[in-house]
Every structure is written in structure tokens, then in C-alpha cells.
Amino acid sequence: MKAVVTNGNGAFGLKSVKVPTPGRGEVLVKVIAASQNPTDWKTAMLHLKPGNILGCDFAGVIADIGPDVDASLMITRGKRVAGAVHGGVSPNGAFAEYVTVLADMVIAIPDKLSFEDASQLGIACYTTCQCLYQELHLPTPLEPLEVPMDVLIWSGTSSTGQYAVQFAKLAGLRVLSTASPKNFELVKDLGADEVFDYADSKTARKIFAATSGTLKHAVDCISEGMTPNQVSMSLSKEGGTIATLLPYESRKKGVETRFVLAYKFFGKDIEFPFVFPADQEHRKNAPVYCRLIQEVITCFGLKATPVRIFPYGLASVSDGFEYMRSGKLSAEKITYRISDTPGLDKWDVAPTGSVRGSS
Ligand SMILES: NC(=O)c1ccc[n+]([C@@H]2O[C@H](COP(=O)([O-])OP(=O)(O)OC[C@H]3O[C@@H](n4cnc5c(N)ncnc54)[C@H](OP(=O)(O)O)[C@@H]3O)[C@@H](O)[C@H]2O)c1
């Protein structure tokens, strides 16, 4: 198969490699579309060993089923699924024609959801669940609050933020968020009750006032630059809890930060580049959250982050990295259709979701 493979000196390229074999409890997915996250280019720069396949987020169809896959998961060949793997650290990644993944971590996707939209669910939705449920213990859309409670989702335009706003709103929370003014409407359409300009130096004070100084819960979807201070200052005088996507300590008394790492879902030691030991509590929660994501999509639907397709599939990954690193990305998801890769057969995706191809 073709895949985007590291060459060991911080560079990578499109290469022909062996199709991975699904191990115990795993499935092989034929990838139809893959989405890009900042972690992809950050991982590529870590000078990892040669032969690793980049890319985390994918959507596609189940092509093979490994041994000991739990029958209750109702995994069948041809089923449409999405999810994420820890790309870039082994010869298995989403920027490839095939990827192997734990069967209990795939999200079944409804026929009406395109592969392109579904390919962004993995990292963004896993992270949303870790932040809102594992760290902040907030209610889920399946058990919504009757009396709203405030939550701040800092950066309602980021990949994680766009889903966190939707999950929080569906759970009956009053959602405050931030964006640049050109994206205020987009974040309101996702369900935010109030949106503030993150570049306004008074925003933390405005959020503090809008919540009458009682805000206790926040997700910082940026977690660098000014945001550790801005999010902390939005919280009540007594403090509160912030789920962060990059590690930091708050300088405000009473504020606890809880760093979330989507990769912890896989239950393995992580070197990124610091070592995070495997956490079985996260691994245990992973299938529970994957079922929750699936149910929320089926019962309520979720708005996808606007997709920006790069034209040459896997051959566009270096352009996609450059676009993201240069800071051009705004409220959108860089997405690759694998069949757009030069030299690969075109795949004809029928509206029912079944896939016909000539290879
Ligand atoms: N720990 C984890 O597991 C995990 C998971 C996912 C992401 N992350 C990390 O989280 C960060 C964001 O990643 P992402 O993919 O979610 O985001 P992204 O989609 O790349 O974020 C782009 C958006 O961020 C907004 N933005 C930029 N600076 C901002 C600020 N100071 N305050 C509020 N919004 C701001 C921009 O909004 P406008 O367009 O409105 O200007 C832009 O639309 C990255 O560092 C990533 O590595 C970590």
C-alpha cells in the first residue's frame, strides 16, 4: 500500500509499504479519508525512527477482522467506521491506504455522514470526552442537566473546541466560548450561548462578569501563549478546574489544571517527547466514550468542522503541514481523500456508504 512514512531525520515521504495485519482485538480499516491534527506535524519533527507511518484520524470501511474481536461489537467487513490511532510512532498510521485499530475504539458512522466529515471525529471527540467527562465530570448529552451550569470552552473554532461546544450544549450546559469575530456566528451555530474575542485584553474580565464570578469549569483548547492566564482569570475568585490540551500550571490560587492526552486512550506508554506511562483507567474509558460518541452522532447529529480538502491525497500531506504550521488554518479541518493520491485507483463511494474499487 501507499503510506506517508518517516525517514528518520525529521523528513517523510510517500512510500510503498506492507499492509499491516490486525492483531488480537484489532480490525484492518481501508482508509477512505484522513484528517490532519497539529500532533501530526509535531510528531513528524521528533526525528522518530524510519518506517513509521504518520497520521492519526481516519474514516473508512472494515477490510479484515483480527482474532478475538468481541462479537458484541458487531464488527463486520464493509462496516463504515471512523477513529484514531497513535500515528507516527510505528508502521501503522492513518495517512495510508490501510490502518489497524482496536476494534472497541472504532466509531460506527451513519450512512448520511460522509467519510470526509467522519474522518475528523477521532482525536477531536476522544479529547472532548476526556476533558468534559473524565477530568471535569460534567454531564453527557445522554443525561442532560435540567438547570444549566456554566462551562467555558476556550477556542470554539479549534478542532476540539468545535466538538466540545456541541457536546456541552447538548448536555444542557450554558456554553461560553472564544473565537475571532469573523467566526462568532459559526461558534454560536454550534451551540455557544456567548462568544468572546480571544484577542480582546478584556475578555477574561467579560467572561468573569457574564458568569457573575461563579465559573468553575473550563476547557482550554489552545493551552499556550496568553490562554493559561486568560482562562484562569475567567474562573471564579475561589478558582476551579481547567482541562488543558498542553500541560501547564495556573498561577491563580485555587485553579487546578488537568492535562488531557488523547493518546492515553490506547493504554500504552507514550513518548511525546516526555514519557507518559500507560494509564489503564484511560484505556478502560476509551470504548465507553467511543460508544457515547457513536450514540450522540446517531441520536443528535453533530456539525462537522468545515473541511478543506487538499487535492492530491497523501501526496499533499507536506502542503497540509505547511498550511497548518504557517497559522493559516481558521475553523477548518485539513482532510485528504486517499484515492486522490496520484497513482492510486479511484474509489467510487456509493451514497449508502458501500465502497466499490478496481484494485
Ligand atoms: N492533548 C491532546 O490530546 C490534544 C488533542 C488535540 C489538540 N491538541 C493540541 O491543541 C492545540 C489546538 O489543536 P486543534 O487541532 O484543536 O486546533 P486547530 O484546529 O489547529 O486551531 C485553530 C483555531 O484556533 C483558534 N485560535 C488560535 N489562537 C487562539 C487563541 N489564543 N484563543 C482562542 N482560539 C485561538 C483559531 O481561531 P480563529 O480562526 O477564530 O482565529 C483557529 O481557528 C494544538 O496545540 C494541539 O496540538 C492536544
Side-chain angles (χ1 to χ4, degrees):
M1 65 172 187
K2 288 272 192 275
V4 179
V5 180
T6 57
N7 68 9
N9 61 6
F12 55 87
L14 191 57
K15 298 212 169 93
S16 288
V17 293
K18 256 179 65 183
V19 173
T21 308
R24 276 191 66 207
E26 290 182 340
V27 289
L28 179 73
V29 175
K30 172 157 185 68
V31 183
I32 307 293
S35 285
Q36 185 178 300
N37 292 283
T39 188
D40 297 323
W41 68 260
K42 292 179 189 177
T43 303
M45 288 178 67
L46 289 177
H47 291 235
L48 297 168
K49 62 179 190 205
N52 293 347
I53 300 179
L54 296 173
C56 298
D57 275 345
F58 66 85
V61 291
I62 295 200
D64 198 6
I65 303 170
D68 301 328
V69 167
D70 187 342
S72 70
L73 295 170
M74 295 195 290
I75 298 283
T76 48
R77 280 195 178 78
K79 187 169 177 164
R80 303 172 89 241
V81 293
V85 294
H86 193 167
V89 297
S90 74
N92 185 50
F95 294 164
E97 288 183 76
Y98 292 90
V99 65
T100 58
V101 57
L102 287 162
D104 63 5
M105 284 193 60
V106 293
I107 302 161
I109 52 173
D111 286 350
K112 60 180 185 227
L113 191 63
S114 71
F115 286 112
E116 290 82 352
D117 285 351
S119 71
Q120 56 182 250
L121 293 172
I123 294 287
C125 289
Y126 292 175
T127 311
T128 291
C129 289
Q130 286 172 316
C131 289
L132 295 180
Y133 312 130
Q134 189 161 298
E135 304 304 341
L136 298 181
H137 309 293
L138 292 170
T140 75
L142 305 182
E143 289 168 301
L145 284 178
E146 283 176 13
V147 181
M149 181 175 122
D150 293 336
V151 65
L152 169 62
I153 309 292
W154 190 280
S155 191
T157 49
S158 64
S159 295
T160 305
Q162 294 202 35
Y163 285 97
V165 166
Q166 296 182 77
F167 273 79
K169 187 63 188 175
L170 287 168
L173 292 149
R174 176 171 170 255
V175 181
L176 299 101
S177 192
T178 58
S180 51
K182 66 173 188 226
N183 287 322
F184 278 11
E185 280 316 305
L186 179 141
V187 181
K188 283 190 178 157
D189 281 350
L190 297 173
D193 294 277
E194 295 199 43
V195 187
F196 301 85
D197 181 358
Y198 63 77
D200 176 353
S201 61
K202 296 194 188 75
T203 281
R205 260 183 283 160
K206 288 180 185 170
I207 295 171
F208 186 88
T211 52
S212 310
T214 62
L215 183 66
K216 292 279 187 195
H217 300 99
V219 180
D220 185 348
C221 297
I222 299 296
S223 299
E224 61 184 343
M226 300 287 289
T227 77
N229 189 45
Q230 289 170 303
V231 178
S232 299
M233 298 317 288
S234 304
L235 292 174
S236 79
K237 280 211 173 85
E238 298 76 44
T241 311
I242 310 172
T244 73
L245 298 201
L246 299 174
Y248 68 80
E249 299 283 334
S250 173
R251 283 190 286 175
K252 179 168 165 173
K253 207 166 155 241
V255 174
E256 188 193 353
T257 55
R258 303 192 57 98
F259 171 52
V260 152
L261 193 54
Y263 295 145
K264 285 195 174 179
F265 257 24
F266 305 117
K268 292 186 175 159
D269 290 347
I270 304 159
E271 251 183 81
F272 191 61
F274 321 102
V275 177
F276 296 94
D279 184 331
Q280 291 317 318
E281 184 66 19
H282 286 250
R283 172 69 191 107
K284 218 170 71 202
N285 285 337
V288 178
Y289 292 148
C290 289
R291 297 295 77 76
L292 171 69
I293 297 162
Q294 198 170 296
E295 259 189 275
V296 171
I297 294 167
T298 311
C299 300
F300 306 99
L302 288 171
K303 289 195 172 96
T305 297
V307 161
R308 176 180 284 273
I309 303 274
F310 272 61
Y312 304 113
L314 298 175
S316 289
V317 167
S318 56
D319 292 341
F321 282 8
E322 192 43 44
Y323 185 87
M324 196 174 243
R325 287 170 58 179
S326 63
K328 288 187 195 138
L329 188 138
S330 177
E332 59 194 332
K333 196 73 185 169
I334 295 175
T335 306
Y336 307 105
R337 286 191 198 108
I338 307 308
S339 68
D340 289 341
T341 310
L344 293 190
D345 290 328
K346 286 281 171 212
W347 286 77
D348 176 13
V349 182
T352 55
S354 60
V355 178
R356 297 185 295 273
S358 53
S359 67

